[in-house]
Amino acid sequence: VVCNANFGATGWVGINENSIMRGVIVSSVAKMNEYYLRNANFAHRRFTMCHELGHGFGLPHTDENPYNANLGNCLDYTDDPEENIYPGEVNMEKLRGMYLTRRKLRVEEDGTVVETTHLIRR
């Protein structure tokens, strides 16, 4: 679910709330706070939407310092969002790892745990 409204002086411009069951996201609500966004330019609004939707898919922040150089992806905190309005390759790679791979664990006779990861064919 994605919604925007004037949620008031909450301290957050956007927020995402995920419901997780057995380690899997089963629902997600991305909220955009018009209290802060009502006078924002297009890039700031798009950055915020991309950022919160990314969290809805389970993506973490790629950087939390808004004052350093932009990383070119919307999960990077920034005070200059024009360069960070889309997901970047680092975000896509993380999503592929989360949703297009299968992990198998097995325990060897000596007790060693072996993890095998492979790409799921589409």
Side-chain angles (χ1 to χ4, degrees):
V1 176
V2 178
C3 59
N4 68 306
N6 184 337
F7 294 100
T10 60
W12 51 264
V13 177
I15 196 166
N16 185 275
E17 300 165 340
N18 288 335
S19 295
I20 299 172
M21 216 183 281
R22 294 187 205 123
V24 176
I25 298 170
V26 294
S27 70
S28 177
V29 177
K31 298 177 184 178
M32 309 313 131
N33 192 346
E34 291 297 328
Y35 180 86
Y36 300 105
L37 289 171
R38 66 178 167 229
N39 296 317
N41 66 24
F42 176 78
H44 192 196
R45 295 175 75 83
R46 188 167 194 158
F47 163 78
T48 303
M49 180 70 72
C50 180
H51 186 96
E52 299 310 331
L53 288 174
H55 288 318
F57 284 106
L59 291 173
H61 295 135
T62 52
D63 181 67
E64 294 184 346
N65 180 351
Y67 307 110
N68 62 1
N70 284 336
L71 299 179
N73 71 80
C74 65
L75 275 294
D76 170 29
Y77 276 10
T78 183
D79 63 350
D80 182 26
E82 282 77 13
E83 298 173 13
N84 287 6
I85 60 174
Y86 300 109
E89 183 55 33
V90 67
N91 306 127
M92 295 301 158
E93 191 60 37
K94 182 80 171 171
L95 288 172
R96 281 191 284 276
M98 293 165 63
Y99 294 101
L100 294 179
T101 58
R102 179 167 293 137
R103 294 175 52 210
K104 292 184 180 180
L105 298 176
R106 75 174 189 278
V107 180
E108 299 288 321
E109 288 181 20
D110 66 358
T112 304
V113 176
V114 178
E115 177 183 60
T116 305
T117 304
H118 66 273
L119 187 64
I120 298 171
R121 297 187 101 173
R122 293 186 255 173

